[in-house]
Amino acid sequence: MNSLDAPATKGDLQQLGTDLRGEFRNEIQQLRTDLRGEMQQLRDELRGEMQPMYHDLVERGRDMETKLLNAFYTFA
């Protein structure tokens, strides 16, 4: 009888389960690592794109404050 035709034992199935869990665990860990790296890269890109908008908003706030103060000074 060929070993491929032999029935599987509980031990064979347990070993297969252990092997598969180990293999999948490594693959899942690698996917997590890759995903974390990509997410960090996206965060950095987003911050880089939003930084000029933030500075523009701060500058507009200062301009508005200056205009209000000038208007109150002129009124007084």
Side-chain angles (χ1 to χ4, degrees):
M1 192 178 230
N2 189 343
S3 64
L4 294 177
D5 295 332
T9 63
K10 282 186 179 182
D12 293 337
L13 294 176
Q14 286 176 344
Q15 184 61 44
L16 177 63
T18 302
D19 293 346
L20 288 176
R21 280 192 292 277
E23 186 176 323
F24 286 133
R25 187 177 298 125
N26 292 337
E27 288 183 25
I28 289 171
Q29 186 62 37
Q30 183 61 42
L31 287 172
R32 284 181 181 162
T33 302
D34 294 347
L35 185 59
R36 285 183 181 137
E38 290 177 17
M39 287 174 60
Q40 184 62 43
Q41 182 181 0
L42 288 173
R43 276 191 215 111
D44 294 343
E45 288 176 16
L46 185 58
R47 283 188 182 123
E49 290 178 12
M50 292 191 70
Q51 196 71 19
M53 288 186 265
Y54 170 77
H55 290 300
D56 184 47
L57 183 61
V58 169
E59 185 63 31
R60 287 181 185 208
R62 288 182 183 150
D63 289 346
M64 187 172 21
E65 179 184 15
T66 301
K67 288 178 184 178
L68 282 170
L69 288 173
N70 283 335
F72 284 127
Y73 179 77
T74 302
F75 181 73

